Amino acid sequence: MLLGPLLVLLLLGGTGSASAHAALRATDPEDGTLLKSAPRHLTLTFTESVGLLDDSFRVLDPDGRRLRTGEPQHAQDGSDTARVTLPGKLAQGTYTVAWRVVSADSHPVSGAFTFSVGKRSLTLATVDPGPTEDPATKALYNIARYLAYLAAALLIGTATFMAVCRPPDAPVLHRLLRTGWWTLLVATLALLVLRAPYETGEGPLGSLSADSLTRTLTSRPGVVLLARLALLLGAAVYLVRLSRRRQPYGWSGAALAAGLAVTWAAGEHASAGVQVPAAMASSALHLLATAVWLGGLTALVVTLYRSAPLTPATVTRFSRLAFASVTVLVVTGVYQSWRGLGSWDALTGTTYGRLLTLKLAAVALLLGAAALSRRWTARLATVDAEAVVRERERERERERERVPEAVGGPTSPEPTSPEPPSAHVASPPDRHRRALRRSVLAEVAVGAVVLAVTTSLTSTLPGRAEAEAAAGAPAVIGASVTTVPFDVGTPGGRGKVQITLDPGRVGDNSIEALVYGPDGGVAIVPELRVSFTHAAKDIGPLDAELADKGGYWGNSFLNLPIAGTWKMKVTVRTSEVDQVSETRSVVVR
């Protein structure tokens, strides 16, 4: 417990680049750029290597029609880029690009941006790239991932408990091993089938396509899942030998457990970012320690409730094994926390940090329950040891009290045995065993919560990567659209103004405004003025200098010098004497 804070202070004091989850670093052309001539390629650069999909790019023209582009591929700069070739002779106007890739840690990432050729236009295309994952597919995928974590903990932990703690042979432990193996097999197959629709954002039925399964089997996440299936086949042979010989094969079991742990490290956050070899080793050790502790706890509590009484030696061996597991968890957990967070602010300012705080609180409860279990284990061992000593003393006393019988003498009366204690009075060892069962059961319950939070953590953008994404180009960028209703108080003097500020960021922006009449159709007004004021910085009003473009009002060169909330004043004049002004807040990034 003292080692953890010291390592946090040491490691969080360092600096490093982002880890895990690809974040968009740059686009070419840049978001919101006005180009004199059409580009030949679109190139995206990310913070880590990415995998490409058949539908990684969707490019929409100013009318909202999808362009036919070339095959997505990596640029010559490396695997952290994505490039697509555009058709020649693009028409003038604003184009929308929606993209979708798979980061090196197997999570899909998507976003969108715009660029204009010749002049900016009021594009009919939306900038929404769609959800990163389909809700139903994501739910099923996460359930399968959680079951895989539970099954791995049960399989590895029970096997380790049997090999190291040497409990009395109990059929219930072999049933636990079979349950863990079958659950992990079914969960892995489900992950393999759902992988393609999870990457593309489709519904679960998207997994029925033969192309989807082929694409998954040739991708890195698919290869990792196939490796896990192969290791499960080896584990099946191990379990059969274990059930027949009743003797664990230590080295073969350890190798299989380590191999299974590596399949998680190769498919999650550890496989991307900085210090990948050390991170993968740390992640594998973290998973093994978790499995040995929580899976062993499950085996212990099931044995305590459904098997013959355990010897104090068995419980003491597991207590030592659990302590070693917790030590490994602390060291590897601190390292992974530093790698995922990068700063103290990320602990409370990001979703990853808040989930990590929740996990730490659950682990603290788990350690409290473990301390109780350790105390009851010590008491049980002491009481049983004292009982053995008392029994030996009684044996020696009986030996001393024996008198040789004279030949032909009277038969000595048989000693009367003491009456057994009342059935309702529990002996001290029984009370200690019941207390131990309760504390271990509490550990198992809290451990299930810890695994659930861990599953959520592995699918959440780490705080360090989120900070870099915020510092660089945002992954999802869109124009700011504000609708301002107005009413000058005369017949037919109602309507609304739709104002688009693109890209809605510090610096040069284009502004376009459409006026709609009371019937919802586009209306022609003699004058439209828009100005911006930043009261906190005493800037403005800045006139947008809108010009009538024939159907809409616009200006391609509006400069907003600082980020923050601006007051946008819109003045609409519907006749020579009728006009009204409305004010709205606009956030500039």
Side-chain angles (χ1 to χ4, degrees):
M1 297 300 291
L2 291 174
L3 178 63
L6 291 176
L7 286 176
V8 169
L9 291 174
L10 173 64
L11 294 172
L12 287 183
T15 58
S17 58
S19 71
H21 270 61
L24 183 63
R25 190 190 299 275
T27 65
D28 183 17
E30 294 182 1
D31 174 50
T33 300
L34 177 61
L35 306 173
K36 292 183 179 179
S37 58
R40 195 70 188 94
H41 304 278
L42 295 178
T43 305
L44 310 180
T45 304
F46 296 90
T47 56
E48 65 177 45
S49 59
V50 295
L52 302 180
L53 306 171
D54 294 338
D55 199 31
S56 278
F57 285 93
R58 288 182 290 124
V59 184
L60 307 179
D61 68 10
D63 295 326
R65 294 188 296 264
R66 183 171 179 177
L67 299 181
R68 183 168 305 199
T69 60
E71 290 287 331
Q73 58 186 353
H74 295 294
Q76 295 180 352
D77 298 339
S79 60
D80 61 343
T81 60
R83 170 175 285 189
V84 68
T85 302
L86 296 175
K89 298 181 179 180
L90 294 181
Q92 290 189 339
T94 299
Y95 291 79
T96 304
V97 181
W99 54 266
R100 183 184 187 89
V101 297
V102 181
S103 59
D105 62 355
S106 78
H107 295 288
V109 185
S110 63
F113 67 97
T114 64
F115 69 93
S116 302
V117 177
K119 66 175 184 179
R120 291 184 172 90
S121 64
L122 186 65
T123 177
L124 300 179
T126 61
V127 191
D128 182 14
T132 303
E133 301 102 357
D134 177 80
T137 303
K138 181 180 179 181
L140 292 174
Y141 193 82
N142 284 337
I143 290 173
R145 290 174 64 242
Y146 180 63
L147 289 176
Y149 273 116
L150 281 178
L154 186 62
L155 181 62
I156 296 172
T158 303
T160 305
F161 179 76
M162 295 174 67
V164 178
C165 302
R166 301 190 292 278
D169 184 44
V172 67
L173 293 179
H174 293 280
R175 288 197 294 270
L176 278 181
L177 288 174
R178 290 193 294 270
T179 300
W181 188 89
W182 279 108
T183 304
L184 184 54
L185 177 66
V186 172
T188 303
L189 289 174
L191 291 172
L192 197 62
V193 171
L194 292 170
R195 182 67 209 178
Y198 177 71
E199 289 182 348
T200 58
E202 298 176 297
L205 294 180
S207 61
L208 301 179
S209 169
D211 293 339
S212 298
L213 185 58
T214 302
R215 184 172 66 248
T216 297
L217 295 178
T218 55
S219 66
R220 191 178 62 83
V223 171
V224 169
L225 292 173
L226 287 176
R228 188 179 300 170
L229 289 175
L231 289 168
L232 281 175
L233 293 178
V237 176
Y238 171 82
L239 295 182
V240 171
R241 296 173 66 188
L242 182 61
S243 63
R244 289 178 179 175
R245 297 274 302 272
R246 309 296 184 188
Q247 289 293 331
Y249 294 87
W251 288 111
S252 57
L256 288 170
L260 287 173
V262 169
T263 62
W264 267 274
E268 300 291 352
H269 293 162
S271 63
V274 296
Q275 305 172 358
V276 170
M280 289 187 62
S282 173
S283 178
L285 288 173
H286 195 80
L287 178 62
L288 285 174
T290 302
V292 169
W293 185 14
L294 300 184
L297 276 174
T298 305
L300 176 62
V301 74
V302 169
T303 307
L304 284 169
Y305 275 96
R306 303 186 59 184
S307 183
L310 289 176
T311 63
T314 298
V315 184
T316 302
R317 291 187 196 105
F318 178 75
S319 183
R320 294 168 182 164
L321 182 64
F323 183 80
S325 299
V326 170
T327 303
V328 174
L329 282 172
V330 169
V331 176
T332 56
V334 168
Y335 170 73
Q336 290 180 158
S337 299
W338 162 77
R339 191 171 181 267
L341 288 173
S343 68
W344 286 110
D345 293 338
L347 194 61
T348 56
T350 63
T351 302
Y352 185 90
R354 288 187 287 271
L355 281 173
L356 183 60
T357 303
L358 179 61
K359 180 180 177 179
L360 291 175
V363 169
L365 290 176
L366 195 57
L367 290 173
L372 286 177
S373 298
R374 193 171 175 84
R375 182 180 304 172
W376 287 118
T377 299
R379 291 182 180 179
L380 181 62
T382 302
V383 169
D384 280 10
E386 291 175 352
V388 170
V389 171
R390 286 195 300 269
E391 181 62 28
R392 289 175 179 172
E393 290 178 350
R394 282 195 296 266
E395 276 296 326
R396 287 195 294 268
E397 187 68 25
R398 285 195 293 268
E399 287 289 339
R400 286 194 299 267
E401 290 178 355
R402 283 179 185 168
V403 178
E405 182 180 337
V407 178
T411 304
S412 301
E414 293 185 1
T416 59
S417 58
E419 291 188 8
S422 301
H424 66 276
V425 178
S427 62
D430 291 335
R431 290 199 300 269
H432 294 335
R433 282 191 175 87
R434 284 201 296 270
L436 180 60
R437 288 180 193 138
R438 289 193 295 269
S439 62
V440 172
L441 186 60
E443 284 188 75
V444 172
V446 180
V449 176
V450 171
L451 283 180
V453 178
T454 300
T455 304
S456 300
L457 271 175
T458 56
S459 60
T460 303
L461 180 67
R464 187 191 290 269
E466 185 175 333
E468 176 162 326
V476 179
I477 300 170
S480 168
V481 180
T482 306
T483 300
V484 184
F486 67 88
D487 187 353
V488 297
T490 60
R494 295 182 297 104
K496 62 182 179 180
V497 184
Q498 179 179 290
I499 300 173
T500 302
L501 193 64
D502 189 8
R505 289 159 53 188
V506 170
D508 287 333
N509 290 263
S510 67
I511 180 171
E512 296 166 350
L514 269 174
V515 181
Y516 295 92
D519 59 353
V522 176
I524 304 298
V525 295
E527 186 178 11
L528 179 65
R529 297 192 307 273
V530 177
S531 63
F532 294 84
T533 302
H534 198 301
K537 299 295 184 181
D538 197 21
I539 300 176
L542 303 179
D543 190 356
E545 299 180 358
L546 297 181
D548 189 351
K549 301 291 186 178
Y552 72 96
W553 297 74
N555 179 14
S556 298
F557 303 100
L558 169 65
N559 184 273
L560 298 175
I562 64 172
T565 301
W566 292 71
K567 292 295 184 182
M568 179 175 66
K569 182 179 179 181
V570 181
T571 301
V572 184
R573 182 164 64 85
T574 59
S575 67
E576 292 295 330
V577 295
D578 298 314
Q579 74 174 33
V580 66
S581 296
E582 301 288 346
T583 302
R584 290 291 184 275
S585 297
V586 176
V587 176
V588 175
R589 300 186 298 277

